Amino acid sequence: LVEHVLRFQPHGKKATPRPGASLLELAIEAGVSIESVCGGTGKCGKCRVTVAHGSSFLSAIGEGERSLLGDVSDGSRLACMTRVLSCGDIVIHIPEESRRGHHRLLAAGEERKVKLKPALTKAVLALPEATLQDVRADEDRLMDALSDQKGLKARMANAVYPDLPKGLREQNWTVTATVYRDEEIIRIEPGDTADRLHAVAVDIGTTKVVAYLLDLNTGKVLDSESMPNPQIPYGEDVMSRITYSSREQGGLENLQSVILEGLNSLISSLCEGAGMEEADILEVLVVGNTAMHHLFFGIPAKHLATAPYAPVVRSSMTVNAEDLRVRAYPSAKVSALPNIAGFVGADAVSDLLASGLYRDSGFGMMIDIGTNTEIIAGNKDRLMSCSCASGPAFEGAHIRHGMRASSGAIERVWIDPSTRDVRYRTVDDSAARGICGSGIVDAVAEMFKAGIVDHAGKLRTDGSDARVRKAENGSAEFVLAEASESANGKDITVAQHDVEEIQLAKAAIFTGVSVLMGKFGVSGDEITTLYAAGAFGTYVDAGSAIAIGMYPDIPTPRIKFIGNAAGAGARMALKSVSMRSLAERLSKKVEYVELAAEPNFQKEFAKAMFLPHRDRERFPSAMRKE
Ligand code: FES
């Protein structure tokens, strides 16, 4: 008897195909989690999979399935609606957005493989003992050994001299020299410490700071820590922080010192968790947008805020930890990747490294959504970038019941267009406390598709939906979760104002997308890959992002979720000097487009305020589902 297998990729988990069973049921049996917001009733479209092999053993596609999926030429099916007809070998691919519970892991950012060759190396040297016949100075003795045994000619960092005599003699003239870029000795330790080589990669976002502890001998991430950007009390967005830094007495120093304190506390907890000393950190590599970069290094950011928005520094920077008061070995290096322009910084360069967009031969687009959204479009021949002030709405700010994506946040919403029944899912499946960014985008998309808000984003108050009511302030609101279901016993609503905030944010992003496509003379369907970066870009449902007109209308399989790509790129650069050279080249190659200077910017923005867009024909799939 031949034993047939149904394989789920990319997990590689297996099930036995059983006639009559749905792919969703078999996935559950195999321990594979697939999104199924509507509970497997064929209504939400979230359980999309592709059949890579064995479609003849499966039921034929139905009309309902086809209308939810749109283009099915790639073998797309709804897992809950597809049943096994007869036994045979079947391979099913589960795309990123259909994998339940996978999102949070991804937020760490996916690195591309790089060859491990960090800027830091450790050279273990056996020195000849000082004698009356050999009275060379300690420094000369070390330099000679480095040259003879490793072929390196380096200079000594001044901070190393006090440690030199003890370092040389304590372990019988065996020492380990840490060399930076083959040119500077930044640390001397007695004995052989080659197995300890640690560094920290840091992504300084406007809203969140994430630090990763790396073992540079293996390239492994040992741990990560994050915190809200401690500059937030001085201004929520980049502009207000720049204003504070330039207008207030001591403003720049204040902003620099709070971010340094924040970073130091992240380094301390990383080291504590790994049972290491802070002095074991030998490099800290930082990425951030240009304003975060300048403020971190104490460089005036004033000119970033006014035309022509010129940055002070574009190229990579390196300073000593002690000069910045960073908690690491005093002569450890604190470096930053290069910036592109005033509003497209080292974080976008880092995104480029992680996405690999610069190598693509088709037409790609990378969108890193944050309080400020960076977009880079193009391919191996030409790259253009722009920056959009999308604001913090996607982080849950300025949304009445908005919250961060923590326990109890509504993160997925589904509204049945015929019955208007609302279903939602919360983070950790706990009682609803509020709505996070992905939840509010889903909510607006679903409200639009169900006809609860119109093309202009207005809630329909004609009494057609019992969940739409007047709030205390007289404006309309939609009840998403009723008081009986919520954690605090109060209704959780989407207000008219919330819909407007989302319209503003998505219009800012789509205007950037649209301007860059215009520069290249390509249309949405020519985009071969859309790299969605940043935590929000990873959590947000691609279909909903298209439905509201934030992403261009492309088949969702072309959207690749790359998580916190800025952090991933920073880690790649820490691990590989050739990635740093590439970053330097890319920062010069990427052309910058100043959106505000574009003659049709205002017109494009006004059109993008509609759901999904004033030119509906640009969103054929979204309109089909309306
Ligand atoms: S679970 Fe398949 S369509 Fe909802």
Side-chain angles (χ1 to χ4, degrees), residues 24 35-48 68 78-81:
L24 184 63
E35 286 279 9
S36 52
V37 176
C38 70
T41 55
K43 289 179 178 163
C44 69
K46 309 279 187 205
C47 64
R48 192 181 66 79
L68 270 176
L78 292 178
C80 67
M81 292 287 109

Side-chain angles (χ1 to χ4, degrees), residues 12-27:
K13 291 196 176 160
K14 293 182 230 163
T16 306
R18 200 175 56 247
S22 74
L23 294 180
L24 184 63
E25 287 159 3
L26 293 169

Side-chain angles (χ1 to χ4, degrees), residues 347-403:
D347 51 353
V349 173
S350 204
D351 285 336
L352 259 188
L353 294 182
S355 66
L357 167 64
Y358 63 90
R359 307 186 309 176
D360 285 1
S361 34
F363 180 80
M365 188 173 276
M366 191 283 307
I367 306 182
D368 190 342
I369 298 174
T371 314
N372 228 68
T373 294
E374 291 90 16
I375 307 175
I376 303 184
N379 55 24
K380 61 182 170 44
D381 301 318
R382 190 176 184 196
L383 291 161
M384 281 198 236
S385 67
C386 70
S387 162
C388 327
S390 43
F394 297 135
E395 327 255 358
H398 300 174
I399 300 293
R400 190 193 293 160
H401 290 111
M403 64 180 283

